[in-house]
Amino acid sequence: RKEVEQDPGPFNVPEGATVAFNCTYSNSASQSFFWYRQDCRKEPKLLMSVYSSGNEDGRFTAQLNRASQYISLLIRDSKLSDSATYLCVVNVNAGGTSYGKLTFGQGTILTVHP
Amino acid sequence: NAGVMQNPRHLVRRRGQEARLRCSPMKGHSHVYWYRQLPEEGLKFMVYLQKENIIDESGMPKERFSAEFPKEGPSILRIQQVVRGDSAAYFCASSPFGQEFYEQYFGPGTRLTVT
């Protein structure tokens, strides 16, 4: 089983749509959770950290369910510029020195069309 | 505040040559991480360094790959005797502290092509 699993998509949605991405992680020792976005052939850019209480940043809402080991990202009112690959990222602190290691999902491809 | 800088952005090497990839972290960041993204694959952790120390190299291939982060200067990822399978995008990230809840910020990457 992969450490971090995402639906690869692709998701093709019209402008203005609401789209949701899901992610599951296998290691219950996971401590920190993030969503990054990656444009074609570019570096990953931090979109938002994900907290147990859930958090919102403009059109983006992230949720974490530790019991189910599940993370979600909701994008409202999609824009053309939201087209990218969305990466679910987990940091596992398994003790010792491994806390620096980010584990990435394969990414979910989103295309927003006019 | 300049972001994470990497150079070169593109590097072409013939099989058997050495590749040196450089990374300068964001100002004020003393923790550096290297990741590799093979074609059509996700990013994979390679190594985590602080100044003059390797903290976690669990993702580094056992042979030909080494990394350093000297007291002065950028972090270097070195690949000796490159093979075609080393062709990938290599990303460096930095964070101000080494705890898990600090976000990591990525550089633009070095695209290595081995011919």
Side-chain angles (χ1 to χ4, degrees):
Chain A
R1 184 185 171 188
K2 289 182 183 172
E3 289 188 76
V4 180
E5 289 207 65
Q6 295 181 249
D7 179 348
F11 285 64
N12 292 297
V13 303
E15 272 186 291
T18 296
V19 61
F21 304 138
N22 302 319
C23 168
T24 57
Y25 59 95
S26 59
N27 192 329
S28 59
S30 300
Q31 296 289 335
S32 303
F33 310 90
F34 309 93
W35 284 100
Y36 280 75
R37 68 171 277 169
Q38 187 174 27
D39 294 284
C40 189
R41 299 182 68 79
K42 297 283 184 70
E43 74 272 25
K45 284 193 160 75
L46 178 68
L47 188 62
M48 57 200 304
S49 301
V50 188
Y51 305 114
S52 294
S53 53
N55 48 303
E56 186 174 312
D57 183 2
R59 298 181 293 109
F60 299 84
T61 301
Q63 297 276 355
L64 166 65
N65 183 324
R66 284 188 184 268
S68 305
Q69 295 182 199
Y70 170 91
I71 306 161
S72 65
L73 176 69
L74 184 77
I75 306 176
R76 289 182 298 279
D77 189 23
S78 301
K79 312 287 184 199
L80 295 176
S81 58
D82 293 334
S83 298
T85 298
Y86 288 82
L87 304 170
C88 177
V89 184
V90 170
N91 193 325
V92 178
N93 184 352
T97 58
S98 64
Y99 45 80
K101 173 182 173 181
L102 294 181
T103 301
F104 286 78
Q106 286 288 97
T108 299
I109 298 170
L110 172 66
T111 302
V112 182
H113 57 82
Chain B
N1 188 7
V4 178
M5 297 172 68
Q6 290 188 248
N7 65 80
R9 297 288 300 274
H10 299 274
L11 182 61
V12 179
R13 285 286 177 265
R14 284 199 286 270
R15 277 180 298 169
Q17 291 185 317
E18 179 179 285
R20 278 185 183 238
L21 288 61
R22 288 176 291 278
C23 168
S24 296
M26 284 179 74
K27 189 175 180 182
H29 288 193
S30 57
H31 297 257
V32 164
Y33 314 83
W34 286 93
Y35 295 84
R36 177 166 68 172
Q37 189 168 32
L38 293 165
E40 308 304 323
E41 291 193 18
L43 283 98
K44 298 276 193 276
F45 169 81
M46 298 182 77
V47 62
Y48 161 33
L49 310 106
Q50 274 182 274
K51 286 284 187 183
E52 301 185 276
N53 287 305
I54 296 175
I55 307 300
D56 181 353
E57 56 182 346
S58 59
M60 287 278 268
K62 297 291 182 232
E63 297 177 349
R64 303 187 298 107
F65 285 72
S66 62
E68 62 176 6
F69 189 13
K71 190 176 178 183
E72 301 291 338
S75 175
I76 307 282
L77 179 69
R78 183 180 174 211
I79 311 172
Q80 295 177 287
Q81 298 174 324
V82 296
V83 301
R84 287 230 171 96
D86 297 332
S87 295
Y90 291 83
F91 292 100
C92 166
S94 73
S95 68
F97 302 101
Q99 279 122 31
E100 63 274 9
F101 44 83
Y102 285 97
E103 297 103 349
Q104 295 180 18
Y105 295 89
F106 283 78
T110 294
R111 296 196 177 274
L112 172 65
T113 302
V114 180
T115 61

